[in-house]
DNA sequence: GCGCACATGACAACGGTTCTCATGTCGTTT
DNA sequence: AAACGACATGAGAACCGTTGTCATGTGCGC
């Protein structure tokens, strides 16, 4: 029923430095959302809930979480970066709904080995890959 | 020797509207470059060559070419969009050097069918994919 | 408790891109 | 050839996501 608990014990805050109320709040909001969120959307959400955390702090916390591997980052068509909490530290890819933002994790082992093969045959070093799938989810399809 | 001819007959200008000197110039510069270029880099290049084309026009022309399928667009890590002329109208993917910007086309048929499979099994409609590979090319590796 | 390295937040600055609008021009019609 | 209208151009401002600045606040090891 409630999709956001008051304050689900945010354990991995300390992965990114000192434990502060602001970081716990941001991490809590990120964990509480099933969808990818932009820094600004998350900030607005906090304001609406009466939680006053500076926008700079939201940006810094999300960026730090992403660098620590606790958040996935994706770029929306407009270039905005969207964040989503990642419970397990593994690398993942998502199929994102362009209408509602819902993200569905997809099995990307095939893409991973494809990229590894390209890396080996090209002579390039430190090859990284970005894979993003977008579409319209069944729910949003139904609602026209 | 010369990597940029004076003005290689730019045929597909008219794919994006009226044929103007500015559009021919922009398209010529795009065709003359083997690498992905940002709108601003291309603009600077034109200025250096004594060709005065407004930055707005460069943006408009590149965007129109991309929409017409005559240019590939890729996002660099900083969020900047990079353009490259696409002689054939097929969909392509590249392995980009993070140092010098060189782009190597890669065989992505595997990724295409993977994406198609995900599309079919997920129930999502209109699934599009973004695949970007980045690394350090052999030349840039050599130069330390 | 002290102290300081680290964190916060209001605000300004930044960089890429798009918008505005007055002026110019392509290309078609008489 | 001249005229006309729709479209294109360009200088500058506006926009928007993001990062920097810096004075103030605070977590936390001592
Ligand atoms: Mn992957
Ligand atoms: Mn493809
Ligand atoms: Zn949806
Ligand atoms: Zn290189």
């Amino acid at each position: 029923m409630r999709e956001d608990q008051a304050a689900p014990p945010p354990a991995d805050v300390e992965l990114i430095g000192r434990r502060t109320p602001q970081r716990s709040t941001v991490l809590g909001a990120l964990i509480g959302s099933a969808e990818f969120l932009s820094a600004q959307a998350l900030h607005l959400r906090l304001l609406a809930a009466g939680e006053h955390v500076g926008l700079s702090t939201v940006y810094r916390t999300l960026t730090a979480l992403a660098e620590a591997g606790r958040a996935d980052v994706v770029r929306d068509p407009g270039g905005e970066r969207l964040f989503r909490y990642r419970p397990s530290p593994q690398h993942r890819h998502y199929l994102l709904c362009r209408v509602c933002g819902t993200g569905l994790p997809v099995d990307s082992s095939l893409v991973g080995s494809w990229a590894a093969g390209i890396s080996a045959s090209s002579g390039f070093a430190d090859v990284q890959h970005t894979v993003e799938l977008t579409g319209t989810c069944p729910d949003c399809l139904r609602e026209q």
Side-chain angles (χ1 to χ4, degrees), chain A:
Chain A
M1 211 95 268
R2 302 154 298 182
E3 92 160 16
D4 293 308
Q5 292 282 113
D12 11 63
V13 181
E14 39 224 24
L15 282 179
I16 62 175
R18 290 180 179 168
R19 157 178 296 243
T20 69
Q22 291 90 341
R23 286 178 180 175
S24 296
T25 300
V26 170
L27 181 53
L30 191 67
I31 292 178
S33 165
E35 300 158 16
F36 277 84
L37 283 179
S38 70
Q40 308 207 117
L42 194 152
H43 182 234
L44 281 181
R45 213 174 257 210
L46 294 183
L47 288 189
E51 312 263 17
H52 287 259
V53 176
L55 180 57
S56 303
T57 298
V58 172
Y59 271 109
R60 285 189 286 238
T61 303
L62 291 177
T63 300
L65 283 170
E67 277 168 4
R70 309 308 317 197
D72 286 308
V73 190
V74 114
R75 236 179 238 283
D76 85 0
E80 196 171 15
R81 287 191 308 187
L82 308 178
F83 299 83
R84 191 198 207 199
Y85 181 65
R86 185 165 75 207
S88 72
Q90 318 160 213
H91 180 83
R92 305 244 37 179
H93 296 289
Y94 299 89
L95 170 51
L96 279 189
C97 176
R98 283 189 296 267
V99 179
C100 69
T102 296
L104 179 75
V106 297
D107 174 27
S108 59
S109 43
L110 234 152
V111 175
S113 52
W114 169 77
I118 296 286
S119 170
S121 63
S122 64
F124 276 54
D126 307 318
V127 173
Q128 300 174 351
H129 63 270
T130 298
V131 175
E132 286 169 28
L133 298 178
T134 58
T136 309
C137 80
D139 287 353
C140 290
L141 261 184
R142 204 168 300 125
E143 298 166 10
Q144 186 192 140

